[in-house]
Amino acid sequence: MRQIVLDTETTGLEVRQGHRLIEIACVELIERRPSGRHYQTYLNPERAIDEGAREVTGIADEFLLDKPFFADVVEEFLTFIDGAELIIHNASFDVGFINAELERLGGQYGRINDRCPVLDTLAMARERYPGQRNSLDALCKRLGVDNSARDLHGGLIDAQLLADVYLAMTSGQVVLDLGFEGASETRVRTVQAPVVLARRPRVLRASEEETAEHQRRLDSLDKSAGGQSVWRRQEADV
Protein backbone atom coordinates (compact mmCIF):
# COMPACT_ATOMS: atom_id res chain seq x y z
CA MET A 1 0.00 0.00 0.00
CA ARG A 2 1.44 3.35 -1.06
CA GLN A 3 0.26 6.54 0.64
CA ILE A 4 1.31 10.16 0.21
CA VAL A 5 0.90 12.61 3.09
CA LEU A 6 0.44 16.01 1.44
CA ASP A 7 0.42 19.61 2.59
CA THR A 8 0.37 22.94 0.77
CA GLU A 9 0.97 26.58 1.59
CA THR A 10 -0.86 29.35 -0.26
CA THR A 11 -0.94 33.11 -0.78
CA GLY A 12 -4.26 33.31 1.06
CA LEU A 13 -7.25 31.35 2.26
CA GLU A 14 -9.73 31.70 -0.62
CA VAL A 15 -9.01 29.98 -3.92
CA ARG A 16 -12.09 31.68 -5.39
CA GLN A 17 -10.37 35.04 -4.84
CA GLY A 18 -7.49 33.99 -7.07
CA HIS A 19 -5.09 32.89 -4.35
CA ARG A 20 -2.37 30.50 -5.48
CA LEU A 21 -0.05 27.77 -4.23
CA ILE A 22 3.38 28.78 -2.93
CA GLU A 23 4.54 25.38 -1.64
CA ILE A 24 3.70 21.70 -2.14
CA ALA A 25 5.17 19.03 0.13
CA CYS A 26 4.66 15.27 0.12
CA VAL A 27 5.94 12.44 2.33
CA GLU A 28 5.70 8.84 1.11
CA LEU A 29 4.50 5.93 3.25
CA ILE A 30 4.87 2.34 2.10
CA GLU A 31 2.88 -0.22 4.09
CA ARG A 32 2.37 2.47 6.78
CA ARG A 33 6.10 3.12 7.16
CA PRO A 34 7.99 6.24 6.02
CA SER A 35 9.98 5.25 2.94
CA GLY A 36 12.43 8.15 3.20
CA ARG A 37 11.18 9.61 -0.10
CA HIS A 38 9.57 13.02 -0.23
CA TYR A 39 8.70 15.71 -2.75
CA GLN A 40 8.84 19.41 -1.94
CA THR A 41 8.89 22.56 -4.03
CA TYR A 42 8.24 26.26 -3.60
CA LEU A 43 6.29 27.99 -6.35
CA ASN A 44 6.14 31.45 -7.88
CA PRO A 45 2.44 32.34 -7.47
CA GLU A 46 2.55 35.30 -9.87
CA ARG A 47 0.81 37.44 -7.26
CA ALA A 48 1.43 38.94 -3.82
CA ILE A 49 1.07 36.94 -0.61
CA ASP A 50 -1.51 38.16 1.89
CA GLU A 51 -0.06 39.60 5.09
CA GLY A 52 -1.76 36.90 7.16
CA ALA A 53 -0.21 34.14 5.03
CA ARG A 54 3.23 35.74 5.32
CA GLU A 55 2.93 35.79 9.11
CA VAL A 56 1.87 32.13 9.24
CA THR A 57 4.44 30.75 6.78
CA GLY A 58 7.32 33.19 7.11
CA ILE A 59 7.57 33.20 3.29
CA ALA A 60 8.13 36.58 1.63
CA ASP A 61 7.20 37.58 -1.93
CA GLU A 62 10.85 38.20 -2.78
CA PHE A 63 11.80 34.64 -1.83
CA LEU A 64 9.46 33.22 -4.49
CA LEU A 65 10.51 35.40 -7.42
CA ASP A 66 13.05 32.89 -8.78
CA LYS A 67 11.01 29.79 -7.93
CA PRO A 68 9.36 27.64 -10.64
CA PHE A 69 5.80 28.14 -11.80
CA PHE A 70 3.29 25.34 -11.19
CA ALA A 71 3.36 24.56 -14.91
CA ASP A 72 7.10 23.85 -14.61
CA VAL A 73 6.68 21.16 -11.93
CA VAL A 74 3.25 19.68 -12.66
CA GLU A 75 4.59 16.57 -14.44
CA GLU A 76 7.08 15.80 -11.66
CA PHE A 77 4.48 16.38 -8.95
CA LEU A 78 1.79 14.22 -10.57
CA THR A 79 4.28 11.43 -11.24
CA PHE A 80 5.15 11.38 -7.53
CA ILE A 81 1.56 11.12 -6.31
CA ASP A 82 -0.13 9.12 -9.09
CA GLY A 83 -1.92 6.01 -7.88
CA ALA A 84 -1.26 6.62 -4.17
CA GLU A 85 -3.80 7.34 -1.49
CA LEU A 86 -3.46 10.99 -0.44
CA ILE A 87 -3.61 11.78 3.27
CA ILE A 88 -4.43 15.46 3.82
CA HIS A 89 -5.59 17.51 6.80
CA ASN A 90 -8.63 19.56 5.72
CA ALA A 91 -8.41 17.99 2.29
CA SER A 92 -10.99 20.22 0.58
CA PHE A 93 -8.64 23.20 1.05
CA ASP A 94 -5.49 21.65 -0.44
CA VAL A 95 -7.31 19.70 -3.15
CA GLY A 96 -9.25 22.81 -4.15
CA PHE A 97 -6.04 24.80 -4.65
CA ILE A 98 -4.31 22.01 -6.58
CA ASN A 99 -7.34 21.48 -8.82
CA ALA A 100 -7.47 25.22 -9.52
CA GLU A 101 -3.82 25.15 -10.62
CA LEU A 102 -4.51 22.13 -12.86
CA GLU A 103 -7.51 23.88 -14.42
CA ARG A 104 -5.34 26.90 -15.27
CA LEU A 105 -3.26 24.59 -17.46
CA GLY A 106 -6.21 23.79 -19.67
CA GLY A 107 -7.74 20.71 -18.10
CA GLN A 108 -5.53 18.12 -19.79
CA TYR A 109 -4.35 16.87 -16.40
CA GLY A 110 -7.84 16.34 -14.98
CA ARG A 111 -8.48 16.65 -11.26
CA ILE A 112 -6.61 15.23 -8.29
CA ASN A 113 -9.66 13.20 -7.24
CA ASP A 114 -9.58 11.39 -10.59
CA ARG A 115 -6.00 10.28 -9.97
CA CYS A 116 -5.93 9.44 -6.28
CA PRO A 117 -8.32 8.52 -3.46
CA VAL A 118 -8.20 11.15 -0.73
CA LEU A 119 -8.38 10.59 3.03
CA ASP A 120 -9.18 13.69 5.11
CA THR A 121 -7.58 13.42 8.56
CA LEU A 122 -9.59 16.42 9.78
CA ALA A 123 -12.83 14.54 9.08
CA MET A 124 -11.32 11.49 10.79
CA ALA A 125 -10.32 13.52 13.86
CA ARG A 126 -13.73 15.22 14.13
CA GLU A 127 -15.39 11.81 14.11
CA ARG A 128 -13.03 10.43 16.77
CA TYR A 129 -12.79 13.51 18.98
CA PRO A 130 -16.14 15.34 18.65
CA GLY A 131 -16.33 18.74 20.29
CA GLN A 132 -12.55 19.04 20.63
CA ARG A 133 -9.96 21.11 18.79
CA ASN A 134 -8.60 19.09 15.89
CA SER A 135 -5.96 21.33 14.37
CA LEU A 136 -2.63 19.71 13.55
CA ASP A 137 -1.05 21.24 16.67
CA ALA A 138 -3.93 20.04 18.87
CA LEU A 139 -3.68 16.52 17.48
CA CYS A 140 0.09 16.47 18.00
CA LYS A 141 -0.45 17.37 21.66
CA ARG A 142 -3.27 14.84 22.11
CA LEU A 143 -1.37 11.99 20.48
CA GLY A 144 2.07 12.71 21.89
CA VAL A 145 3.67 13.78 18.60
CA ASP A 146 6.62 16.14 19.11
CA ASN A 147 5.95 19.35 17.17
CA SER A 148 8.48 21.54 18.98
CA ALA A 149 10.28 22.27 15.69
CA ARG A 150 7.14 23.80 14.16
CA ASP A 151 7.67 27.53 14.74
CA LEU A 152 5.94 28.42 11.46
CA HIS A 153 3.67 26.60 9.04
CA GLY A 154 5.86 24.88 6.46
CA GLY A 155 4.75 22.30 3.93
CA LEU A 156 7.38 19.64 4.55
CA ILE A 157 7.44 19.75 8.36
CA ASP A 158 3.63 19.81 8.43
CA ALA A 159 3.48 16.78 6.12
CA GLN A 160 5.95 14.92 8.36
CA LEU A 161 3.96 15.79 11.48
CA LEU A 162 0.70 14.78 9.80
CA ALA A 163 2.24 11.42 8.88
CA ASP A 164 3.02 10.82 12.57
CA VAL A 165 -0.47 11.97 13.61
CA TYR A 166 -2.15 9.73 11.03
CA LEU A 167 -0.14 6.69 12.09
CA ALA A 168 -0.92 7.39 15.75
CA MET A 169 -4.65 7.78 15.06
CA THR A 170 -4.81 4.55 13.08
CA SER A 171 -2.35 2.40 15.04
CA GLY A 172 -3.72 -1.07 15.67
CA GLN A 173 -6.46 -0.57 13.10
CA VAL A 174 -6.68 -3.43 10.62
CA VAL A 175 -9.24 -2.01 8.19
CA LEU A 176 -9.63 1.71 7.58
CA ASP A 177 -13.11 3.10 6.97
CA LEU A 178 -12.51 5.78 4.33
CA GLY A 179 -16.14 6.76 3.89
CA PHE A 180 -15.96 9.78 6.14
CA GLU A 181 -18.93 12.09 6.30
CA GLY A 182 -18.35 15.23 4.26
CA ALA A 183 -15.72 13.73 1.96
CA SER A 184 -18.15 13.70 -0.95
CA GLU A 185 -15.49 13.58 -3.64
CA THR A 186 -13.58 10.68 -2.11
CA ARG A 187 -14.08 7.45 -4.03
CA VAL A 188 -14.11 4.30 -1.92
CA ARG A 189 -14.13 0.84 -3.44
CA THR A 190 -14.30 -2.42 -1.51
CA VAL A 191 -12.97 -5.52 -3.23
CA GLN A 192 -13.72 -8.96 -1.85
CA ALA A 193 -11.70 -11.95 -2.96
CA PRO A 194 -11.05 -15.41 -1.53
CA VAL A 195 -7.87 -15.70 0.50
CA VAL A 196 -5.79 -18.76 -0.28
CA LEU A 197 -2.76 -19.55 1.89
CA ALA A 198 -0.11 -21.37 -0.08
CA ARG A 199 1.95 -21.96 3.04
CA ARG A 200 1.84 -21.38 6.75
CA PRO A 201 2.26 -17.65 7.48
CA ARG A 202 5.54 -16.62 9.07
CA VAL A 203 5.10 -14.91 12.44
CA LEU A 204 7.23 -11.81 12.87
CA ARG A 205 7.86 -10.88 16.47
CA ALA A 206 8.71 -7.40 17.65
CA SER A 207 12.35 -6.65 18.36
CA GLU A 208 13.49 -5.25 21.71
CA GLU A 209 13.79 -1.81 20.11
CA GLU A 210 10.27 -2.00 18.65
CA THR A 211 8.87 -3.20 21.99
CA ALA A 212 10.55 -0.29 23.78
CA GLU A 213 9.17 2.17 21.23
CA HIS A 214 5.70 0.65 21.74
CA GLN A 215 5.97 1.20 25.49
CA ARG A 216 7.10 4.81 24.96
CA ARG A 217 4.04 5.39 22.75
CA LEU A 218 1.75 3.91 25.44
CA ASP A 219 3.38 6.15 28.07
CA SER A 220 2.65 9.15 25.85
CA LEU A 221 -0.98 8.08 25.38
CA ASP A 222 -1.36 7.58 29.15
CA LYS A 223 -0.06 11.10 29.70
CA SER A 224 -2.44 12.57 27.12
CA ALA A 225 -5.39 10.63 28.60
CA GLY A 226 -4.58 11.74 32.14
CA GLY A 227 -4.51 8.15 33.30
CA GLN A 228 -4.34 4.66 31.93
CA SER A 229 -5.27 4.75 28.25
CA VAL A 230 -7.52 2.17 26.61
CA TRP A 231 -4.48 0.75 24.81
CA ARG A 232 -2.70 0.15 28.13
CA ARG A 233 -5.80 -1.52 29.60
CA GLN A 234 -6.12 -3.79 26.58
CA GLU A 235 -2.45 -4.73 26.85
CA ALA A 236 -2.95 -5.66 30.51
CA ASP A 237 -5.87 -7.90 29.60
CA VAL A 238 -3.86 -9.92 27.07
Side-chain angles (χ1 to χ4, degrees):
M1 176 175 61
R2 182 170 181 263
Q3 298 169 299
I4 298 294
V5 185
L6 183 148
D7 186 69
T8 66
E9 301 298 340
T10 64
T11 61
L13 296 178
E14 288 293 337
V15 67
R16 289 172 294 182
Q17 295 177 1
H19 283 291
R20 305 284 300 274
L21 293 175
I22 58 176
E23 184 183 7
I24 303 174
C26 305
V27 173
E28 183 183 62
L29 302 178
I30 300 293
E31 302 298 337
R32 293 177 51 81
R33 292 179 179 271
S35 69
R37 295 183 67 227
H38 70 271
Y39 174 85
Q40 188 271 344
T41 184
Y42 293 104
L43 298 167
N44 184 334
E46 303 178 86
R47 60 157 293 159
I49 305 173
D50 275 4
E51 182 178 353
R54 284 199 301 272
E55 292 177 354
V56 167
T57 64
I59 298 175
D61 297 294
E62 296 76 14
F63 174 75
L64 300 174
L65 291 178
D66 62 346
K67 301 302 182 287
F69 301 114
F70 182 79
D72 299 326
V73 304
V74 61
E75 297 281 356
E76 184 180 24
F77 166 60
L78 293 179
T79 296
F80 189 84
I81 68 169
D82 264 349
E85 178 185 54
L86 300 184
I87 299 171
I88 309 174
H89 201 65
N90 193 13
S92 60
F93 179 87
D94 301 82
V95 169
F97 271 90
I98 296 172
N99 282 339
E101 296 288 354
L102 293 172
E103 289 169 9
R104 286 188 179 92
L105 301 182
Q108 70 266 34
Y109 295 105
R111 296 168 63 83
I112 286 296
N113 313 77
D114 300 325
R115 293 173 172 271
C116 305
V118 179
L119 189 155
D120 188 347
T121 52
L122 178 58
M124 176 189 291
R126 285 172 173 169
E127 183 175 293
R128 294 191 173 205
Y129 313 114
Q132 301 184 53
R133 294 181 64 249
N134 290 303
S135 66
L136 183 57
D137 281 333
L139 289 172
C140 285
K141 182 177 180 180
R142 187 175 304 140
L143 297 168
V145 174
D146 182 8
N147 65 342
S148 57
R150 191 192 190 218
D151 296 328
L152 295 168
H153 286 231
L156 189 55
I157 189 172
D158 284 1
Q160 291 168 336
L161 289 173
L162 181 57
D164 287 341
V165 163
Y166 164 73
L167 293 174
M169 280 202 296
T170 59
S171 60
Q173 187 169 321
V174 178
V175 178
L176 296 180
D177 175 11
L178 304 185
F180 300 113
E181 182 179 354
S184 59
E185 293 185 325
T186 301
R187 296 179 298 156
V188 180
R189 184 178 67 171
T190 301
V191 178
Q192 293 182 338
V195 177
V196 179
L197 297 179
R199 59 182 179 179
R200 185 179 180 85
R202 183 162 61 98
V203 178
L204 298 178
R205 302 192 182 278
S207 66
E208 292 184 4
E209 182 180 349
E210 290 170 332
T211 300
E213 177 60 30
H214 175 67
Q215 292 302 320
R216 286 193 291 270
R217 175 60 61 84
L218 291 182
D219 291 342
S220 177
L221 291 175
D222 288 348
K223 183 178 180 181
S224 299
Q228 193 176 58
S229 68
V230 64
W231 301 105
R232 183 76 74 181
R233 292 198 298 270
Q234 287 181 349
E235 184 182 61
D237 291 338
V238 174

